PDB file of all heavy atoms in Angstrom:
ATOM      1  N   GLY A 470      63.581 -11.705   6.192  1.00 93.00           N
ATOM      2  CA  GLY A 470      64.201 -10.957   5.142  1.00 93.00           C
ATOM      3  C   GLY A 470      63.589 -11.185   3.783  1.00 93.00           C
ATOM      4  O   GLY A 470      64.114 -10.737   2.786  1.00 93.00           O
ATOM      5  N   ARG A 471      62.469 -11.915   3.694  1.00 96.00           N
ATOM      6  CA  ARG A 471      61.890 -12.220   2.399  1.00 96.00           C
ATOM      7  C   ARG A 471      60.351 -11.935   2.466  1.00 96.00           C
ATOM      8  O   ARG A 471      59.757 -11.871   3.536  1.00 96.00           O
ATOM      9  CB  ARG A 471      62.065 -13.679   2.007  1.00 96.00           C
ATOM     10  CG  ARG A 471      63.502 -14.036   1.702  1.00 96.00           C
ATOM     11  CD  ARG A 471      63.625 -15.383   0.999  1.00 96.00           C
ATOM     12  NE  ARG A 471      63.218 -16.458   1.888  1.00 96.00           N
ATOM     13  CZ  ARG A 471      63.055 -17.738   1.470  1.00 96.00           C
ATOM     14  NH1 ARG A 471      63.123 -18.044   0.181  1.00 96.00           N
ATOM     15  NH2 ARG A 471      62.724 -18.688   2.379  1.00 96.00           N
ATOM     16  N   LEU A 472      59.740 -11.775   1.268  1.00 97.00           N
ATOM     17  CA  LEU A 472      58.311 -11.539   1.210  1.00 97.00           C
ATOM     18  C   LEU A 472      57.628 -12.910   1.095  1.00 97.00           C
ATOM     19  O   LEU A 472      58.064 -13.810   0.352  1.00 97.00           O
ATOM     20  CB  LEU A 472      58.035 -10.742  -0.059  1.00 97.00           C
ATOM     21  CG  LEU A 472      56.544 -10.287  -0.239  1.00 97.00           C
ATOM     22  CD1 LEU A 472      56.120  -9.321   0.838  1.00 97.00           C
ATOM     23  CD2 LEU A 472      56.426  -9.605  -1.665  1.00 97.00           C
ATOM     24  N   TRP A 473      56.508 -13.030   1.818  1.00 98.00           N
ATOM     25  CA  TRP A 473      55.729 -14.264   1.850  1.00 98.00           C
ATOM     26  C   TRP A 473      54.268 -13.944   1.505  1.00 98.00           C
ATOM     27  O   TRP A 473      53.748 -12.930   1.854  1.00 98.00           O
ATOM     28  CB  TRP A 473      55.850 -14.961   3.199  1.00 98.00           C
ATOM     29  CG  TRP A 473      57.207 -15.325   3.549  1.00 98.00           C
ATOM     30  CD1 TRP A 473      58.164 -14.549   4.142  1.00 98.00           C
ATOM     31  CD2 TRP A 473      57.726 -16.655   3.477  1.00 98.00           C
ATOM     32  NE1 TRP A 473      59.309 -15.262   4.304  1.00 98.00           N
ATOM     33  CE2 TRP A 473      59.083 -16.518   3.913  1.00 98.00           C
ATOM     34  CE3 TRP A 473      57.302 -17.881   2.992  1.00 98.00           C
ATOM     35  CZ2 TRP A 473      59.971 -17.653   3.977  1.00 98.00           C
ATOM     36  CZ3 TRP A 473      58.186 -18.967   3.091  1.00 98.00           C
ATOM     37  CH2 TRP A 473      59.486 -18.852   3.545  1.00 98.00           C
ATOM     38  N   LEU A 474      53.633 -14.914   0.812  1.00 98.00           N
ATOM     39  CA  LEU A 474      52.180 -14.892   0.709  1.00 98.00           C
ATOM     40  C   LEU A 474      51.534 -15.308   2.047  1.00 98.00           C
ATOM     41  O   LEU A 474      52.148 -16.143   2.789  1.00 98.00           O
ATOM     42  CB  LEU A 474      51.648 -15.769  -0.389  1.00 98.00           C
ATOM     43  CG  LEU A 474      52.028 -15.373  -1.847  1.00 98.00           C
ATOM     44  CD1 LEU A 474      51.562 -16.428  -2.818  1.00 98.00           C
ATOM     45  CD2 LEU A 474      51.398 -13.997  -2.177  1.00 98.00           C
ATOM     46  N   LYS A 475      50.403 -14.754   2.355  1.00 98.00           N
ATOM     47  CA  LYS A 475      49.773 -15.011   3.620  1.00 98.00           C
ATOM     48  C   LYS A 475      48.331 -15.447   3.424  1.00 98.00           C
ATOM     49  O   LYS A 475      47.551 -14.685   2.855  1.00 98.00           O
ATOM     50  CB  LYS A 475      49.826 -13.780   4.556  1.00 98.00           C
ATOM     51  CG  LYS A 475      49.078 -13.926   5.897  1.00 98.00           C
ATOM     52  CD  LYS A 475      49.355 -12.750   6.839  1.00 98.00           C
ATOM     53  CE  LYS A 475      48.634 -11.513   6.336  1.00 98.00           C
ATOM     54  NZ  LYS A 475      48.694 -10.496   7.325  1.00 98.00           N
ATOM     55  N   ALA A 476      47.984 -16.656   3.934  1.00 98.00           N
ATOM     56  CA  ALA A 476      46.591 -17.100   3.918  1.00 98.00           C
ATOM     57  C   ALA A 476      46.141 -17.038   5.340  1.00 98.00           C
ATOM     58  O   ALA A 476      46.687 -17.840   6.213  1.00 98.00           O
ATOM     59  CB  ALA A 476      46.482 -18.503   3.396  1.00 98.00           C
ATOM     60  N   THR A 477      45.216 -16.206   5.652  1.00 97.00           N
ATOM     61  CA  THR A 477      44.601 -16.097   6.984  1.00 97.00           C
ATOM     62  C   THR A 477      43.238 -16.745   6.954  1.00 97.00           C
ATOM     63  O   THR A 477      42.280 -16.213   6.457  1.00 97.00           O
ATOM     64  CB  THR A 477      44.497 -14.619   7.406  1.00 97.00           C
ATOM     65  OG1 THR A 477      45.746 -13.963   7.174  1.00 97.00           O
ATOM     66  CG2 THR A 477      44.050 -14.526   8.878  1.00 97.00           C
ATOM     67  N   LEU A 478      43.232 -17.987   7.468  1.00 97.00           N
ATOM     68  CA  LEU A 478      42.010 -18.770   7.346  1.00 97.00           C
ATOM     69  C   LEU A 478      41.092 -18.504   8.569  1.00 97.00           C
ATOM     70  O   LEU A 478      41.441 -18.783   9.656  1.00 97.00           O
ATOM     71  CB  LEU A 478      42.331 -20.278   7.232  1.00 97.00           C
ATOM     72  CG  LEU A 478      43.184 -20.646   6.090  1.00 97.00           C
ATOM     73  CD1 LEU A 478      43.418 -22.140   6.016  1.00 97.00           C
ATOM     74  CD2 LEU A 478      42.599 -20.138   4.770  1.00 97.00           C
ATOM     75  N   LEU A 479      39.922 -17.943   8.291  1.00 97.00           N
ATOM     76  CA  LEU A 479      38.954 -17.623   9.376  1.00 97.00           C
ATOM     77  C   LEU A 479      37.586 -18.150   9.009  1.00 97.00           C
ATOM     78  O   LEU A 479      36.653 -17.895   9.707  1.00 97.00           O
ATOM     79  CB  LEU A 479      38.834 -16.107   9.631  1.00 97.00           C
ATOM     80  CG  LEU A 479      40.094 -15.450  10.228  1.00 97.00           C
ATOM     81  CD1 LEU A 479      39.851 -13.877  10.317  1.00 97.00           C
ATOM     82  CD2 LEU A 479      40.364 -16.013  11.608  1.00 97.00           C
ATOM     83  N   ASN A 480      37.462 -18.866   7.873  1.00 97.00           N
ATOM     84  CA  ASN A 480      36.197 -19.337   7.372  1.00 97.00           C
ATOM     85  C   ASN A 480      36.008 -20.764   7.781  1.00 97.00           C
ATOM     86  O   ASN A 480      36.653 -21.698   7.190  1.00 97.00           O
ATOM     87  CB  ASN A 480      36.112 -19.149   5.851  1.00 97.00           C
ATOM     88  CG  ASN A 480      34.749 -19.519   5.313  1.00 97.00           C
ATOM     89  OD1 ASN A 480      33.902 -20.112   6.022  1.00 97.00           O
ATOM     90  ND2 ASN A 480      34.440 -19.098   4.136  1.00 97.00           N
ATOM     91  N   PRO A 481      35.109 -21.100   8.749  1.00 97.00           N
ATOM     92  CA  PRO A 481      34.961 -22.457   9.190  1.00 97.00           C
ATOM     93  C   PRO A 481      34.296 -23.379   8.118  1.00 97.00           C
ATOM     94  O   PRO A 481      34.254 -24.601   8.301  1.00 97.00           O
ATOM     95  CB  PRO A 481      34.096 -22.383  10.434  1.00 97.00           C
ATOM     96  CG  PRO A 481      33.347 -21.086  10.299  1.00 97.00           C
ATOM     97  CD  PRO A 481      34.302 -20.178   9.505  1.00 97.00           C
ATOM     98  N   HIS A 482      33.805 -22.794   7.079  1.00 97.00           N
ATOM     99  CA  HIS A 482      33.191 -23.573   5.966  1.00 97.00           C
ATOM    100  C   HIS A 482      34.174 -23.949   4.865  1.00 97.00           C
ATOM    101  O   HIS A 482      33.819 -24.672   3.960  1.00 97.00           O
ATOM    102  CB  HIS A 482      32.031 -22.794   5.342  1.00 97.00           C
ATOM    103  CG  HIS A 482      30.790 -22.731   6.238  1.00 97.00           C
ATOM    104  ND1 HIS A 482      29.778 -23.617   6.157  1.00 97.00           N
ATOM    105  CD2 HIS A 482      30.479 -21.854   7.211  1.00 97.00           C
ATOM    106  CE1 HIS A 482      28.814 -23.347   7.069  1.00 97.00           C
ATOM    107  NE2 HIS A 482      29.232 -22.269   7.690  1.00 97.00           N
ATOM    108  N   THR A 483      35.445 -23.489   4.970  1.00 97.00           N
ATOM    109  CA  THR A 483      36.410 -23.874   3.964  1.00 97.00           C
ATOM    110  C   THR A 483      36.709 -25.370   4.054  1.00 97.00           C
ATOM    111  O   THR A 483      36.915 -25.902   5.108  1.00 97.00           O
ATOM    112  CB  THR A 483      37.726 -23.032   4.220  1.00 97.00           C
ATOM    113  OG1 THR A 483      37.390 -21.654   4.120  1.00 97.00           O
ATOM    114  CG2 THR A 483      38.799 -23.412   3.240  1.00 97.00           C
ATOM    115  N   THR A 484      36.773 -26.001   2.864  1.00 97.00           N
ATOM    116  CA  THR A 484      36.896 -27.422   2.816  1.00 97.00           C
ATOM    117  C   THR A 484      38.302 -27.757   2.256  1.00 97.00           C
ATOM    118  O   THR A 484      39.016 -26.941   1.704  1.00 97.00           O
ATOM    119  CB  THR A 484      35.825 -28.067   1.887  1.00 97.00           C
ATOM    120  OG1 THR A 484      36.046 -27.566   0.563  1.00 97.00           O
ATOM    121  CG2 THR A 484      34.476 -27.646   2.363  1.00 97.00           C
ATOM    122  N   ALA A 485      38.630 -29.070   2.316  1.00 96.00           N
ATOM    123  CA  ALA A 485      39.912 -29.585   1.771  1.00 96.00           C
ATOM    124  C   ALA A 485      39.839 -29.321   0.245  1.00 96.00           C
ATOM    125  O   ALA A 485      40.924 -28.980  -0.373  1.00 96.00           O
ATOM    126  CB  ALA A 485      40.064 -31.046   2.045  1.00 96.00           C
ATOM    127  N   GLU A 486      38.732 -29.452  -0.406  1.00 97.00           N
ATOM    128  CA  GLU A 486      38.577 -29.213  -1.818  1.00 97.00           C
ATOM    129  C   GLU A 486      38.903 -27.744  -2.178  1.00 97.00           C
ATOM    130  O   GLU A 486      39.531 -27.437  -3.207  1.00 97.00           O
ATOM    131  CB  GLU A 486      37.196 -29.564  -2.361  1.00 97.00           C
ATOM    132  CG  GLU A 486      36.919 -31.095  -2.351  1.00 97.00           C
ATOM    133  CD  GLU A 486      36.683 -31.647  -0.930  1.00 97.00           C
ATOM    134  OE1 GLU A 486      36.382 -30.810  -0.008  1.00 97.00           O
ATOM    135  OE2 GLU A 486      36.795 -32.838  -0.773  1.00 97.00           O
ATOM    136  N   ASP A 487      38.434 -26.833  -1.318  1.00 97.00           N
ATOM    137  CA  ASP A 487      38.731 -25.398  -1.518  1.00 97.00           C
ATOM    138  C   ASP A 487      40.253 -25.158  -1.444  1.00 97.00           C
ATOM    139  O   ASP A 487      40.754 -24.345  -2.239  1.00 97.00           O
ATOM    140  CB  ASP A 487      38.044 -24.543  -0.431  1.00 97.00           C
ATOM    141  CG  ASP A 487      36.517 -24.568  -0.542  1.00 97.00           C
ATOM    142  OD1 ASP A 487      35.999 -24.684  -1.682  1.00 97.00           O
ATOM    143  OD2 ASP A 487      35.882 -24.539   0.503  1.00 97.00           O
ATOM    144  N   LEU A 488      40.921 -25.819  -0.518  1.00 97.00           N
ATOM    145  CA  LEU A 488      42.347 -25.635  -0.452  1.00 97.00           C
ATOM    146  C   LEU A 488      43.088 -26.206  -1.635  1.00 97.00           C
ATOM    147  O   LEU A 488      44.103 -25.641  -2.139  1.00 97.00           O
ATOM    148  CB  LEU A 488      42.912 -26.278   0.828  1.00 97.00           C
ATOM    149  CG  LEU A 488      42.262 -25.753   2.144  1.00 97.00           C
ATOM    150  CD1 LEU A 488      42.928 -26.449   3.359  1.00 97.00           C
ATOM    151  CD2 LEU A 488      42.491 -24.244   2.290  1.00 97.00           C
ATOM    152  N   ASP A 489      42.580 -27.353  -2.102  1.00 96.00           N
ATOM    153  CA  ASP A 489      43.173 -27.918  -3.336  1.00 96.00           C
ATOM    154  C   ASP A 489      42.971 -26.960  -4.560  1.00 96.00           C
ATOM    155  O   ASP A 489      43.893 -26.755  -5.358  1.00 96.00           O
ATOM    156  CB  ASP A 489      42.481 -29.231  -3.720  1.00 96.00           C
ATOM    157  CG  ASP A 489      42.834 -30.364  -2.711  1.00 96.00           C
ATOM    158  OD1 ASP A 489      43.911 -30.263  -2.056  1.00 96.00           O
ATOM    159  OD2 ASP A 489      42.108 -31.334  -2.662  1.00 96.00           O
TER     160      ASP A 489
END
Side-chain angles (χ1 to χ4, degrees):
R471 293 193 291 169
L472 186 65
W473 298 80
L474 292 175
K475 177 173 69 170
T477 309
L478 300 183
L479 293 178
N480 186 345
H482 287 267
T483 298
T484 65
E486 291 75 17
D487 294 325
L488 301 180
D489 290 339

